[in-house]
Amino acid sequence: MNYQNFRKSAELFGAICGGLLISLPAIPQAIAQESTPKINPCPRIFYEEPHNSRVVVPQGCPPNALTQRLAAQGLLPVPATPSQDQTRLGVGGEAPQPSAIPPRPATGDQTQQPSPGAASTDQTPLLQPRQTPSATIALANGKVNIRLRNDTAANVTFQVIGDTAPRSLQGKSDVTLQGLDAPVTVTFEREDGGQLIVTPQPSSEPGSLEVTFKEATNPAQGRSAMRIERNGSVFLN
């Protein structure tokens, strides 16, 4: 009888130890999954200089200074609806605060909806007249090649919105951007803070555009963005 009781106790003890050994590997994995931080899609650096005036924020993030300026000029597409992570984290990982301005009651059949990714406002922006294209090119299957030629002595920072991060083009050098889908927006600025005269010129090759940067002494001549539409129209702002 003592031998049978001892045998049963040993079997029970072995079953308990075996269950603990099986569950131990799952505990660190569960802790690691809970401790893994979420990547903030709208980091605070987008809203600090120099990124505030040089980098366009991702779709759904609150617009910074450059994003607001290009959107007002009609050089950016309509922003998409913010994702759940962008809505929850907000700028710099902070939860967005509720607006202190109470909503205005709708009158008649009119309803007002805030634009996604933009702060609410009671002011309606004035529509600007359509400008004349600075150049026109024939696209190749909806694509365009852009050659940027920097004839200044200063470095120029450029960015293809939605395609590339900001890049630097040294003075007296050039670079070719190939296979860009129209419509496409390119931003640029001199790294020394000076103004740029931007001259777009269709190339002899189909679907190619050559853009030349020169120094501008008059601030009114300065340009900082170029937009190529689907019909090949090129606009400068």
Side-chain angles (χ1 to χ4, degrees), residues 53-137:
S53 57
R54 292 186 179 183
V55 179
V56 175
V57 299
Q59 289 284 330
C61 291
N64 60 6
L66 177 60
T67 307
Q68 290 178 345
R69 177 161 58 87
L70 295 180
Q73 296 172 352
L75 297 175
L76 290 179
V78 178
T81 303
S83 64
Q84 293 181 355
D85 288 340
Q86 290 171 328
T87 303
R88 178 175 61 82
L89 291 176
V91 178
E94 300 173 354
Q97 300 295 326
S99 175
I101 302 176
R104 295 183 301 177
T107 58
D109 295 334
Q110 297 179 351
T111 57
Q112 295 183 350
Q113 296 180 349
S115 300
S120 61
T121 177
D122 289 339
Q123 297 180 353
T124 302
L126 298 178
L127 296 178
Q128 298 181 354
R130 190 67 173 179
Q131 66 182 106
T132 303
S134 300
T136 302
I137 64 171

Side-chain angles (χ1 to χ4, degrees), residues 198-213:
V198 183
T199 305
Q201 183 68 34
S203 174
S204 58
E205 300 179 2
S208 297
L209 181 71
E210 184 171 303
V211 181
T212 304
F213 300 140

Side-chain angles (χ1 to χ4, degrees), residues 27-42:
I27 295 176
Q29 184 177 3
I31 295 176
Q33 291 177 351
E34 293 179 359
S35 61
T36 301
K38 285 276 189 178
I39 298 177
N40 180 19
C42 307

Side-chain angles (χ1 to χ4, degrees), residues 11 19 56 96 123 133 141 145 167 173-174 191 198 215 221 230-231 234:
E11 292 176 352
V56 175
Q123 297 180 353
N141 296 324
N145 300 327
R167 299 177 181 176
S173 64
D174 62 83
E191 294 181 0
V198 183
E215 297 178 356
Q221 297 177 319
R230 288 190 178 91
N231 60 2
V234 181

Side-chain angles (χ1 to χ4, degrees), residues 126-183:
L126 298 178
L127 296 178
Q128 298 181 354
R130 190 67 173 179
Q131 66 182 106
T132 303
S134 300
T136 302
I137 64 171
L139 301 182
N141 296 324
K143 296 183 178 295
V144 59
N145 300 327
I146 303 176
R147 181 189 178 194
L148 302 178
R149 192 178 70 188
N150 184 8
D151 285 349
T152 72
N155 293 348
V156 172
T157 299
F158 68 93
Q159 179 183 10
V160 181
I161 303 304
D163 285 343
T164 69
R167 299 177 181 176
S168 181
L169 178 61
Q170 295 182 352
K172 307 301 180 181
S173 64
D174 62 83
V175 64
T176 301
L177 309 173
Q178 297 182 341
L180 300 177
D181 292 321

Side-chain angles (χ1 to χ4, degrees), residues 15-48:
I16 294 174
C17 292
L20 290 176
L21 291 175
I22 294 175
S23 61
L24 282 177
I27 295 176
Q29 184 177 3
I31 295 176
Q33 291 177 351
E34 293 179 359
S35 61
T36 301
K38 285 276 189 178
I39 298 177
N40 180 19
C42 307
R44 186 179 298 275
I45 193 173
F46 284 164
Y47 306 90
E48 299 174 351

